Amino acid sequence: MGQLVLDLVPLLFGILLSPLALMALIAVLVSARARTNGIAFALGWLAGIALVLTICFLLFGALQVRSVRHPPLWVPIVQLLVSAVLISGAVAVYRRGKARIEQMAAARSPRQVAAAAPQLPGWLQQVESFRPIRTFLLGLGLFVLNPVDASCAIIAALDARQAAVDDTTAAVTLIVFGLVASLSIVAPVVIVVVRGRAAEPFLARIRTWVAGNTHVLNAALLLVIGVLQLQKSLSGLIG
């Protein structure tokens, strides 16, 4: 049980610190329908986490990854593919963040500073017109279709199935994992629902922190997770 928790901790932070999800959430929470759309986005994010964890947990159970002493060949192959996604993601996140900071450091005018500042993707700039259903789908899609976040959930489900614990303990551990992983999205929504316009300074601080810090931290986390999965994969393939 203890080893399973240790394995899940870096995966937990990989989801908690998802930069695109946090920036999308901020865009939703400063829109005209901040309360209703914020709740819809959080529910969509929770649904995405639950969907990936549930499907993978059931799938890996059906495939009986613990039925033999050594996992079947496809397990280390999956771990190898996931590690490649995560390591590539770490490099991409770090490069984008570094380039943005260098551009801002070189800025010599307010216009150049504004041009260098982090911008939301064009499609996220349309959240002002979103209805709750569309915002729910946005939250769902940002998790399910994001290869980095989805990979963290896939690894979590695989680790739970391979752990030396019974199925009930593994399932409960994953439920707790999913709930805690959602806090970076759910907590700001709760604050906005409770405080309303008074939460705007809080949102501004989050936006500033995300823009200035998450690229290094997230890249480091993805790299650590990717390397750990690579080590597990090579051990399975060679051993």
Side-chain angles (χ1 to χ4, degrees):
M1 179 66 181
Q3 184 59 50
L4 174 58
V5 172
L6 290 176
D7 288 341
L8 294 181
V9 167
L11 303 172
L12 178 67
F13 283 100
I15 297 175
L16 278 170
L17 297 174
S18 176
L20 182 57
L22 290 172
M23 293 302 289
L25 175 66
I26 292 169
V28 169
L29 293 181
V30 298
S31 67
R33 302 183 183 92
R35 284 188 169 93
T36 55
N37 280 354
I39 293 172
F41 185 88
L43 290 175
W45 185 255
L46 275 166
I49 294 175
L51 182 65
V52 176
L53 287 176
T54 301
I55 290 176
C56 291
F57 185 72
L58 294 176
L59 177 62
F60 293 142
L63 294 173
Q64 299 181 333
V65 296
R66 286 188 310 181
S67 62
V68 291
R69 183 175 180 181
H70 297 290
L73 179 62
W74 64 265
V75 172
I77 291 177
V78 168
Q79 291 171 326
L80 181 63
L81 293 175
V82 169
S83 70
V85 171
L86 293 174
I87 292 173
S88 299
V91 173
V93 167
Y94 179 77
R95 284 183 173 177
R96 282 199 302 268
K98 182 180 179 182
R100 185 180 297 130
I101 289 175
E102 290 176 348
Q103 187 179 359
M104 294 185 72
R108 294 292 181 269
S109 69
R111 178 174 295 181
Q112 290 176 341
V113 172
Q119 301 293 323
L120 286 173
W123 55 274
L124 272 183
Q125 296 177 21
Q126 307 301 316
V127 296
E128 184 73 32
S129 63
F130 281 13
R131 297 286 182 178
I133 292 178
R134 192 174 180 186
T135 310
F136 172 88
L137 294 175
L138 173 64
L140 176 68
L142 277 177
F143 187 87
V144 173
L145 301 179
N146 186 321
V148 174
D149 293 333
S151 293
C152 288
I154 292 170
I155 296 170
L158 182 57
D159 285 347
R161 275 300 186 187
Q162 288 187 291
V165 297
D166 59 80
D167 289 351
T168 300
T169 301
V172 171
T173 302
L174 279 187
I175 291 172
V176 174
F177 171 87
L179 292 174
V180 176
S182 71
L183 287 180
S184 61
I185 300 297
V186 173
V189 171
V190 172
I191 291 173
V192 168
V193 169
V194 173
R195 300 191 61 190
R197 304 290 292 183
E200 288 185 0
F202 169 73
L203 294 176
R205 288 195 296 270
I206 293 180
R207 180 169 53 204
T208 301
W209 188 87
V210 169
N213 297 282
T214 55
H215 79 282
V216 173
L217 186 56
N218 215 20
L221 282 168
L222 294 178
L223 183 61
V224 168
I225 298 169
V227 170
L228 288 174
Q229 293 306 305
L230 179 61
Q231 184 271 328
K232 289 182 180 180
S233 173
L234 294 178
S235 296
L237 291 172
I238 297 174

